[in-house]
Amino acid sequence: GSEINIWWNLGNFFSTSLTHCFWIILLEEQNPQFWNAKGKEALVTALSLKHNFHLAKNLILFLGDGECMGVSTVTATRILKGQLEGKPGEETVLTMDTFPNLALSKTYNVNMQMPDSAATATAYLCGVKATYGTLGLSATARRGQCSTEKNNEVHSVLHRARAAGKSVGIVTTTRVQHASPGGNYAHTSERNWYSDAAQPADALAGGCKDIAYQLVHNTDINVILGGGRQYMLPNNITDPEYAKQTGDRLDNTNLIDEWLKNKKNAKYVWNKAQLDAVDEDTTEYLMGLFEPKDTRYELERNAETDPSLTEMVEKAIKILSKNPKGFYLFVEDNEAKKALYEALTSERDTMSVVTADHSHVFSFGSSSPRGNPVLGLSTKIGTDKKYFTTALYGNGPGFAIDSNGTRPDININITSATGYTQQSAVPLSSETHGSEDVAIFAKGPMSHLFHGVQEQSYIAHAMAYAACIDPTPSVTWSQLLSPTTQTLIHSMFSYSS
């Protein structure tokens, strides 16, 4: 609704069709008082911040995969959100931008500068840095070596929260056996051992269990929602949704049936109608597996048959929040933001943490005017006299050369087409993870523990400490608080280190 001044820059062009580029300047932003008022407002907010020392009854960890949650992607997402609302975009505020506490997470693995999702999951869920490709094991373990698993298991905050009497849940758009959700319950030297069909002979002979088996037997999880039916069913069982698809287990075990055994008020669902019909008030355990492998992307999802991540999160919280001792919920993917933030219980007793496992080699920059489409062209052209997009990748499938051995020419019509792949500097079948730090956004009780630059493994320690879940780090209240504040805290709660 703000009045806009448009300054035409005749020296640059927006596309090969010679459409003139223009600069957007919001009229209000030309007045110094606008920025002075914003500065004052931010100062008032900063000066009014108070640490919340309440016990975190509930813990919610929201994980956006690096492609969705790297710092550069967060910036692009913020601008895109604003542009979808008809604004220039750069001035937009994401919900997580309002979280009062912020830190950076160092994502490297003990043996790799560029991390993977399994070892990073071990770090932020279990509090221990690990070896690339391993899950829920200390760095003593070696990838793919079954013999290195025994006695090297490390346990997640979810596992410890359940032991403390809390209800716990996992919601994801990936297969529930994937590395990120798997870090909550599994201990394996190979992240890809989704079922016994994927395990080599020596792993089977050595007694190492696949991830799907561990999902059922390792931790008593109240809510499990995502994909991954294939790994739970024997290879002679037809998938309930796809007639030509079967399970792939070789042990002739139906792990869904195994999970339902000896559980009261437990339900299994595999489509949206069944999920919608679940009565949260009478259900204590819920497993929903909506695809054989990963669930469909939001743009491809059939809204009649497949639940959205928002719907899954809402169902999970309604079931988990009945426990008077509180709950722990792990959510993976970026589509859950709205459901997560709207469904949260009181900020007084719920710690919410938003972070990424790692970044990707996504860059967002170059010369572009205010309000330039996030996936649009830069106003500069390369030294090869060709246009390029402001969003690029360091490596990946977007690398291309034409018959002359040069970079192909592009224009706004090409880059705005569905399925267009941004150009990359190095050819790879898929782009790699990034090695830079990622952000941690936090709010709620003890969220001030997230500050500065931290090892990724610190996330698990801070969350466990906030909820007083054993074993907590060996940090005493006296190391954290002034004597006056200690007295106040001890009068409010009956716990201390």
Side-chain angles (χ1 to χ4, degrees):
S2 300
E3 189 174 349
I4 297 175
N5 274 1
I6 300 177
W7 289 12
W8 291 92
N9 179 3
L10 300 178
N12 291 303
F13 300 98
F14 187 68
S15 73
T16 54
S17 61
L18 300 185
T19 301
H20 293 308
C21 172
F22 57 86
W23 305 92
I24 295 177
I25 301 179
L26 299 177
L27 184 62
E28 60 189 8
E29 293 182 1
Q30 298 177 63
N31 187 340
Q33 284 300 111
F34 171 80
W35 299 107
N36 292 338
K38 287 187 72 70
K40 181 178 180 180
E41 180 182 354
L43 279 172
V44 170
T45 300
L47 291 169
S48 64
L49 286 177
K50 296 179 181 178
H51 291 338
N52 180 346
F53 290 107
H54 288 94
L55 174 68
K57 174 183 174 182
N58 308 313
L59 297 171
I60 299 180
L61 175 59
F62 168 71
L63 182 84
D65 181 83
E67 194 162 3
C68 319
M69 284 286 295
V71 172
S72 57
T73 318
V74 169
T75 302
T77 301
R78 181 186 301 122
I79 297 172
L80 178 60
K81 176 188 175 184
Q83 291 179 350
L84 291 174
E85 296 171 349
K87 304 172 184 176
E90 292 81 0
E91 70 294 337
T92 302
V93 177
L94 296 172
T95 302
M96 60 190 175
D97 293 343
T98 66
F99 282 29
N101 297 288
L102 182 68
L104 289 178
S105 167
K106 298 159 67 176
T107 63
Y108 67 92
N109 302 153
V110 295
N111 64 331
M112 288 287 286
Q113 186 178 84
M114 185 204 77
D116 89 308
S117 297
T120 53
T122 305
Y124 62 76
L125 294 172
C126 304
V128 174
K129 288 258 182 175
T131 306
Y132 189 97
T134 65
L135 190 61
L137 299 171
S138 72
T140 305
R142 296 293 178 264
R143 185 173 189 179
Q145 298 181 24
C146 169
S147 60
T148 66
E149 293 182 12
K150 189 175 181 180
N151 298 323
N152 288 322
E153 299 90 347
V154 292
H155 293 287
S156 70
V157 178
L158 177 144
H159 180 86
R160 288 147 55 189
R162 188 67 180 125
K166 295 182 183 294
S167 294
V168 298
I170 294 170
V171 178
T172 178
T173 54
T174 67
R175 61 204 78 186
V176 296
Q177 304 87 359
H178 190 263
S180 301
N184 288 284
Y185 59 84
H187 314 283
T188 178
S189 58
E190 175 50 64
R191 58 173 290 179
N192 293 317
W193 289 348
Y194 296 133
S195 79
D196 62 337
Q199 291 183 284
D202 64 322
L204 294 170
C208 289
K209 300 300 183 181
D210 62 88
I211 298 172
Y213 179 95
Q214 295 187 54
L215 171 64
V216 172
H217 292 94
N218 282 10
T219 303
D220 182 37
I221 304 175
N222 299 87
V223 176
I224 303 168
L225 299 175
R229 284 195 304 258
Q230 175 178 320
Y231 312 109
M232 308 293 283
L233 300 173
N235 60 5
N236 60 353
I237 297 294
T238 302
D239 185 86
E241 188 173 7
Y242 305 103
K244 295 183 179 181
Q245 179 100 32
T246 66
D248 69 354
R249 297 199 65 79
L250 303 178
D251 59 7
N252 200 34
T253 301
N254 186 322
L255 288 176
I256 296 171
D257 290 344
E258 288 292 310
W259 184 81
L260 288 168
K261 283 182 181 177
N262 304 318
K263 285 185 171 67
K264 293 183 178 180
N265 303 319
K267 296 185 182 301
Y268 166 70
V269 300
W270 59 267
N271 60 43
K272 180 180 175 350
Q274 293 174 349
L275 180 68
D276 291 344
V278 170
D279 183 349
E280 304 93 353
D281 294 333
T282 60
T283 302
E284 300 299 326
Y285 289 90
L286 174 63
M287 176 184 284
L289 303 177
F290 304 104
E291 288 291 332
K293 295 182 179 179
D294 297 335
T295 65
R296 297 179 184 274
Y297 289 112
E298 183 63 22
L299 291 177
E300 301 172 351
R301 181 177 65 88
N302 183 331
E304 298 297 320
T305 60
D306 302 323
S308 67
L309 190 60
T310 298
E311 291 165 333
M312 290 192 287
V313 170
E314 289 175 344
K315 185 70 71 173
I317 290 181
K318 287 177 181 178
I319 292 173
L320 299 175
S321 60
K322 294 182 300 182
N323 189 335
K325 292 185 177 181
F327 67 84
Y328 174 100
L329 177 61
F330 171 86
V331 181
E332 181 188 22
D333 207 313
N334 67 334
E335 296 297 334
K337 291 190 182 94
K338 182 178 179 182
L340 182 63
Y341 302 145
E342 289 182 351
L344 288 180
T345 53
S346 169
E347 191 174 330
R348 176 183 175 89
D349 62 8
T350 300
M351 171 186 264
S352 305
V353 177
V354 181
T355 190
D357 48 357
H358 51 71
S359 186
H360 281 249
V361 287
F362 172 81
S363 68
F364 181 63
S366 184
S367 176
S368 56
R370 177 76 176 272
N372 194 59
V374 170
L375 300 179
L377 298 176
S378 170
T379 55
K380 285 186 176 293
I381 59 174
T383 56
D384 57 1
K385 307 301 181 185
K386 295 179 180 180
Y387 292 90
F388 60 94
T389 55
T390 57
L392 296 166
Y393 283 88
N395 56 53
F399 178 88
I401 56 175
D402 61 22
S403 58
N404 296 318
T406 60
R407 187 170 62 92
D409 206 356
I410 58 174
N411 58 45
I412 195 65
N413 295 322
I414 293 173
T415 61
S416 61
T418 301
Y420 173 74
T421 300
Q422 267 66 34
Q423 293 179 342
S424 64
V426 176
L428 288 176
S429 59
S430 62
E431 52 92 30
T432 69
H433 298 168
S435 301
E436 70 270 24
D437 300 346
V438 298
I440 309 169
F441 303 85
K443 65 187 295 189
M446 302 299 288
S447 60
H448 57 278
L449 294 178
F450 291 100
H451 70 102
V453 180
Q454 303 288 350
E455 295 288 358
Q456 191 171 42
S457 50
Y458 175 75
I459 296 172
H461 292 286
M463 295 189 75
Y465 192 89
C468 200
I469 296 174
D470 290 330
T472 55
S474 56
V475 180
T476 65
W477 282 106
S478 60
Q479 290 175 284
L480 295 173
L481 310 173
S482 68
T484 302
T485 306
Q486 289 179 56
T487 302
L488 175 62
I489 299 302
H490 281 290
S491 68
M492 295 170 62
F493 304 111
S494 60
Y495 72 93
S496 72
S497 299

